[in-house]
Amino acid sequence: MKTQIIDIQNLDAEGLKRLEAPAALIRNGETVVFPTETVYGLGANALDPEAVKKIFIAKGRPGDNPLIVHVSEIEAVDALVTHIPAKAKILMAAFWPGPLTLIMEKSELIPDEVSPGLDTVAVRFPSHDIARAFIEMAGCPVAAPSANLSGRPSPTEGKHVLEDLNGRVAAIILSADGELGLESTVIDMTVDPPVVLRPGDVTLAELRSVLGEVLVSSNVTRNILPDKVRSPGMKYTHYSPKGELVVVKGKPAEICQKIKSGVDNFHENPMKIGILASDETMETYRKGIILSLGSCDNPKEMARNLFSRLRTFDELGVEKIYAEDIPLNNETLALVNRLYKAAGYTFI
Ligand code: TXA
Ligand code: MG
């Protein structure tokens, strides 16, 4: 398939004009990649089952993994769900548009392909100006998973999208890189108290500040008790780089020591070994491909860089990656969750 590449840096008159062709493609049942404030999304008309099927084909995604439906105004949600729970209204008022996805009971309008076998649908109103204008111009809700091949790190830069999906979708809208870098917070509003299924930029503390009690799915808290699940054999293919990634735990000096001896004991070319460090620690290493996630004092910067760094190790042909563990707190929960998943919960 020949993919149209559309570059839009500003949403001025020219930028809006460039959105017309991809918006028309969505109306015609085709797939279009578009930027959001989290990661790029691979979109299609959420109300058109044939269009939605094309998303799964383009990504190579297992057909039973449900998609997020993106809207460009709160009013559009009414038609997609049976009802909006009072607490969901509170969240929409507090955090939309933005990186928060709400799961509610789906209406008849949602085809089974969007959330196969479930009676719920995930809905998000992104804040990225191009995403909003694009959905509005398409004139329909847009189903979109992250625009990576299934199992690869989510795309935070245009080049990642081109790497994974050029030739597999009708069009790709490229823009400035997303500001957040990790996918949205997903919260199940069909239960009370609501349950966070995936942590993201909207933190637990922020959710609790407006809702009171909010629970966290055991899939996420598994991260908080990692020693219980030290199980390298477990098959998690999410976000994985091609090289083997392990998270190195311990006190700061211990982490550094473990990584150094790991590098020394790796008998092949040290350039095949990667170290995912921080601005504060990267100078302490001498051998291997050393990349910094950013400053430990700036978890947002680290979140923005994670997927991009994993892809850089791939590009450099790194076969084994040691990642320094990241202290867990409210601000780092999403980052730690993605790092551990990428490592398949492998720790040393
Ligand atoms: O930031 C984001 O959320 C990005 C951008 C493109 O909006 N999208 C994204 O989509 O990350 P995806 O498909 O990669 O992740 C959606 C997550 C998956 O873990 C999926 O299982 C979950 O949301 N999900 C979607 N619908 C659901 C439902 N009805 N019930 C439970 N989980 C659902
Ligand atoms: Mg994804």
Side-chain angles (χ1 to χ4, degrees):
M1 182 189 303
K2 173 99 181 94
T3 301
Q4 271 187 57
I5 312 285
I6 300 148
D7 207 317
I8 304 181
Q9 291 308 324
N10 293 306
L11 209 54
D12 50 14
E14 171 63 23
L16 281 170
K17 201 165 155 19
R18 288 192 194 177
L19 272 184
E20 284 171 10
L25 283 170
I26 292 285
R27 282 194 297 279
N28 290 332
E30 295 301 331
T31 49
V32 176
V33 173
F34 61 100
T36 83
E37 71 278 19
T38 57
V39 300
Y40 280 87
L42 197 186
N45 181 351
L47 307 182
D48 176 347
E50 293 310 312
V52 172
K53 280 185 199 160
K54 292 180 184 173
I55 294 177
F56 288 92
I57 295 168
K59 262 188 83 98
R61 179 171 172 123
D64 58 353
N65 196 353
L67 305 176
I68 297 174
V69 176
H70 296 69
V71 296
S72 60
E73 52 179 13
I74 290 182
E75 295 69 43
V77 179
D78 287 314
L80 307 177
V81 300
T82 57
H83 67 287
I84 304 179
K87 288 185 179 178
K89 287 187 181 150
I90 295 174
L91 291 184
M92 290 175 187
F95 301 110
W96 275 10
L100 179 66
T101 297
L102 307 181
I103 295 183
M104 292 174 277
E105 277 166 35
K106 71 181 177 189
S107 74
E108 303 267 291
L109 217 54
I110 303 290
D112 194 47
E113 283 74 5
V114 169
S115 52
L118 300 173
D119 47 22
T120 57
V121 63
V123 188
R124 169 159 125 77
F125 177 2
S127 61
H128 194 291
D129 60 349
I130 293 175
R132 291 174 67 168
F134 172 63
I135 298 162
E136 197 182 320
M137 219 181 258
C140 58
V142 175
S146 49
N148 50 287
L149 286 175
S150 198
R152 301 276 293 135
S154 291
T156 54
E157 296 173 28
K159 66 174 183 184
H160 305 156
V161 176
L162 294 172
E163 217 170 81
D164 281 13
L165 296 176
N166 198 2
R168 301 178 69 93
V169 292
I172 295 174
I173 304 171
L174 296 178
S175 185
D177 298 331
E179 58 181 308
L180 301 177
L182 297 181
E183 310 87 341
S184 62
T185 305
V186 177
I187 183 165
D188 185 355
M189 303 308 296
T190 66
V191 288
D192 198 9
V195 178
V196 169
L197 303 182
R198 180 175 75 182
D201 187 71
V202 175
T203 66
L204 259 182
E206 286 176 304
L207 294 166
R208 286 174 177 155
S209 75
V210 295
L211 289 188
E213 195 179 1
V214 172
L215 305 178
V216 185
S217 153
S218 58
N219 279 329
V220 178
T221 51
R222 173 168 30 214
N223 287 345
I224 300 173
L225 305 165
D227 293 330
K228 278 194 164 169
V229 292
R230 194 178 172 282
S231 167
M234 267 164 111
K235 191 82 191 111
Y236 290 95
T237 53
H238 270 85
Y239 319 114
S240 307
K242 290 172 189 150
E244 179 198 349
L245 174 65
V246 295
V247 175
V248 184
K249 290 182 157 287
K251 298 203 176 75
E254 234 177 300
I255 290 178
C256 180
Q257 205 41 56
K258 280 190 199 173
I259 293 178
K260 282 181 174 166
S261 56
V263 177
D264 286 337
N265 291 334
F266 195 80
H267 297 300
E268 293 164 49
N269 181 353
M271 299 311 273
K272 297 268 177 206
I273 230 176
I275 301 172
L276 191 56
S278 66
D279 289 354
E280 289 79 6
T281 60
M282 67 183 298
E283 298 291 325
T284 59
Y285 301 107
R286 289 281 167 266
K287 278 194 260 172
I289 306 274
I290 304 146
L291 299 180
S292 169
L293 258 192
S295 167
C296 295
D297 297 332
N298 190 347
K300 280 193 189 281
E301 179 189 22
M302 295 180 118
R304 190 161 55 239
N305 288 331
L306 176 66
F307 291 141
S308 165
R309 295 293 181 274
L310 295 181
R311 284 188 183 246
T312 302
F313 284 126
D314 282 351
E315 278 162 33
L316 297 171
V318 165
E319 288 170 4
K320 174 137 191 165
I321 306 160
Y322 290 106
E324 295 178 345
D325 195 17
I326 294 164
L328 184 74
N329 58 48
N330 180 63
E331 270 67 45
T332 60
L333 177 61
L335 173 63
V336 170
N337 169 260
R338 301 311 192 282
L339 177 65
Y340 288 8
K341 275 187 134 180
Y345 300 92
T346 314
F347 307 102
I348 57 166

